Each structure stands twice: as structure tokens, then as C-alpha cells.
Amino acid sequence: MNSVIFLGTPAFGATVLEGLIKAGYDIKAVVTQPDKKVGRKQKIVYSPVKELALKYALPLYQPVRLSKSDDLDALMAIQPDFLITAAFGQFLPTRFLKTAKIAAVNVHGSLLPKYRGGAPIQYAVRNGDAETGVTIMEMVKEMDAGDMYAQAKLPIGPDETSGEVFEKLAPLGRDLLLETLPKIASGEIVKKPQDPSQVVFSPTIEKSEERIPLTLTAQEAKNLIRALNPDPGAFLVVQGKRLKVWAAEVAEDNTSLPAGCLVSNQGRFAISFADSTVLNLTEVQPVGKKAMKVKDFLNGQGKKFNAGDQIVDED
């Protein structure tokens, strides 16, 4: 049975790893990102991949930076048949990739060459794409630039969040990988190079991109909200205070009010955006509060707002 070193971090990676385990692959080592401290109490949280590695008592490594870690020599000495990554979050040294006897393979959450980088699903949702998918590709030194072994497509619903798309992509990626690995091992699969003219990058979302610009249309704002749900969340600054927005719908009516004005707070919380469009916020989270339906917000903090007023601060 083929031996594997697996590298991954979030739930997407854990789904792929468990598929390999259940399919009988010999997991020689699991590499994941270091534990995180979360919240005011700085509680230590394990990655989903670490949780799974502990469950199956697999050898585990958590280097801060693999290329500079003492762990690298130990991992290189294993010389597995496959190196497999799925949302790991670090670059792998070329000399490490070369230790794979058959191939170094990545399960990437997009239809390459769109989108290369750390946030392909978020970009697909934010850009309003109708579909995404997974690509099984050969790992090379350049980020997500290797030849492709296989792809599978997945439609994106108009209201789906990045989190919901992630949940669907993970088993799709797992199944496509398990279908593809034997073909790579036997040599029957032909790699396909990426078209460099079609490359689109999707770098990790910066904190500055979490704020919803008033220059967006209502549809674009809704897409951004969907893209940043469940993490880290998009927000507006309403009268000097952050208001996270977890869900919204594009209103059927337009408005003559400038962007950032309250169009209505009667049964809905409607904000004007670019091109006279209107966005109905449906789930929000004030600072220090839990997420709530907009009707509960309007019965509390939202009472002080008046229709027609500019309530959203400019960027």
C-alpha cells in the first residue's frame, strides 16, 4: 500500500486525510500548523487535522515554518510514495517535494488556473462566480502552478457562504484524490499544464478587506458578506461602531439616497449602496453581542436610527 506524508490544517484537509486513512493508505506523518490561542482567555485550539491525527495516533509535526524547522530532516528521511497537501498554509521546500517517490500532490479548492493562492473559495464567492471546484495538481516551487492531474466542478448557489461551499468541496476533493492517486501511481494519467494567460490569484484576505465599502453595489456587498462567512466576517461602521453583517439580501427597490443611508427600518434594515441599490441586512452582530436576526436588532439598538439618515461611516 502506498505510503503518504500528509500536510493540511482546516476541516477541508481533515476530510481529505480521513479519506486516505479509510482507503488504507499508510500515513507515515501528518504535518499541520501550530496550535492557536483564541479569545480573551487565549484558549489553545487544535486544528481539525491535528484532532484527526491524534484520534488515529498518527505521527504529528507542527512546525512554525517547515523550511526552517528541525522537523524537515526527519520528514525528508521518510521518502514516502506521495506527499499530499490540502489547505496546509505553508510553502514546501523543493528539496522536500523531491523526496516523494511517485509524486507530490496538492488538493486545491478551485478550478486552476483560477484561483491560485490561499483564499480561492472566498474569491469565487466574492466575485459572484456560478461555479468552483477542486484540482488535483502536481506541486512545484511556484505557488499553485504545477501541472494538473484532474478537476471536478461544483456549482455555487446565489446565497451560499464560503463555509457552505467549503463543506461541499471537501468530500469532492477527497473523492477525486482517491480516484486519481492510483492512476498517478500506474502512470496512466496524463498531466495537463496550466494556461498562464488564464491565471487569477487569490491571496489571503487582509483585515482591510473585511470592511464593506460603500462603493460596492448591493449585490457586490452581499457577495463579500457571503465570502467572509464564517470567518472572519464582514462589517460596516455604523455611527462609529462596528456592526458585523452575517447575512443580507438585495432589495427589489432602488433609492435616491446617497450610499450609506438608512432606507428603511420598518420590518427591515435597509442600507443604500452604489448605483442606487439597496441591501437588506438580515443577520447582524453588534460589538460585544452575539449574532442576531435583524428584527431583534431593530427592537434594540436599531430603534435610534431614522430613515433617510446617513448612518454608515465612510471608508
Side-chain angles (χ1 to χ4, degrees):
M1 188 56 65
N2 293 129
S3 59
V4 170
I5 292 178
F6 181 84
L7 305 95
T9 301
F12 181 92
T15 298
V16 174
L17 174 58
E18 190 155 37
L20 290 166
I21 294 168
K22 291 183 175 180
Y25 283 85
D26 181 11
I27 311 300
K28 294 294 188 183
V30 173
V31 188
T32 191
Q33 296 277 41
D35 303 335
K36 287 186 176 182
K37 292 182 178 180
V38 177
R40 295 178 181 176
K41 295 183 179 180
Q42 292 292 278
K43 180 181 178 182
I44 294 177
V45 176
Y46 295 166
S47 76
V49 165
K50 178 175 179 175
E51 294 277 10
L52 194 64
L54 294 174
K55 174 183 175 180
Y56 287 97
L58 299 172
L60 181 67
Y61 297 83
Q62 292 184 270
V64 174
R65 187 178 176 187
L66 181 59
S67 61
K68 301 292 184 181
S69 170
D70 293 338
D71 294 338
L72 182 59
D73 288 339
L75 291 166
M76 289 182 64
I78 295 173
Q79 296 188 340
D81 294 316
F82 289 106
L83 278 175
I84 298 175
T85 64
F88 175 47
Q90 294 187 34
F91 281 104
L92 304 187
T94 302
R95 64 185 187 279
F96 181 39
L97 298 179
K98 290 180 178 179
T99 64
K101 294 176 183 176
I102 298 176
V105 177
N106 179 35
V107 185
H108 186 73
S110 83
L111 298 173
L112 290 171
K114 179 186 179 180
Y115 298 91
R116 293 183 185 178
I121 297 172
Q122 290 91 336
Y123 271 72
V125 175
R126 187 175 74 175
N127 291 342
D129 291 359
E131 68 176 8
T132 183
V134 288
T135 302
I136 309 300
M137 57 168 287
E138 181 183 38
M139 281 190 284
V140 295
K141 183 176 181 179
E142 186 180 351
M143 181 179 64
D144 299 330
D147 291 348
M148 301 178 293
Y149 292 109
Q151 288 188 324
K153 294 182 178 181
L154 178 76
I156 301 175
D159 297 315
E160 284 188 314
T161 67
S162 287
E164 291 166 338
V165 176
F166 261 111
E167 288 182 5
K168 292 181 178 180
L169 271 186
L172 185 68
R174 173 200 63 203
D175 294 347
L176 185 62
L177 177 69
L178 294 176
E179 177 187 327
T180 305
L181 287 178
K183 297 177 183 179
I184 299 174
S186 68
E188 68 177 276
I189 199 164
V190 177
K191 296 182 293 185
K192 179 182 178 182
Q194 296 184 40
D195 181 349
S197 69
Q198 300 300 311
V199 171
V200 178
F201 290 100
S202 58
T204 302
I205 303 293
E206 300 288 343
K207 284 190 174 295
S208 60
E209 298 176 88
E210 296 170 20
R211 184 170 181 172
I212 306 168
L214 293 177
T215 54
L216 299 181
T217 65
Q219 182 63 59
E220 291 167 341
K222 176 185 174 179
N223 291 345
L224 177 60
I225 293 162
R226 293 165 53 220
L228 300 189
N229 183 343
D231 183 63
F235 70 89
L236 293 167
V237 178
V238 177
Q239 296 188 346
K241 294 183 179 180
R242 285 193 179 199
L243 182 70
K244 281 205 170 184
V245 184
W246 292 113
E249 291 293 343
V250 177
E252 294 182 1
D253 54 324
N254 285 351
T255 181
S256 59
L257 293 171
C261 289
L262 180 63
V263 177
S264 173
N265 61 352
Q266 298 300 309
R268 62 177 182 147
F269 191 32
I271 305 295
S272 56
F273 274 86
D275 295 346
S276 302
T277 58
V278 178
L279 189 69
N280 292 331
L281 311 189
T282 57
E283 185 176 357
V284 298
Q285 183 176 5
V287 175
K289 303 286 186 180
K290 293 182 178 179
M292 62 183 71
K293 297 299 181 183
V294 77
K295 65 177 182 179
D296 297 318
F297 176 75
L298 291 175
N299 288 332
Q301 295 184 30
K303 285 183 178 180
K304 63 182 178 180
F305 302 134
N306 296 310
D309 288 351
Q310 177 89 31
I311 65 167
V312 179
D313 298 349
E314 298 284 352
D315 300 349

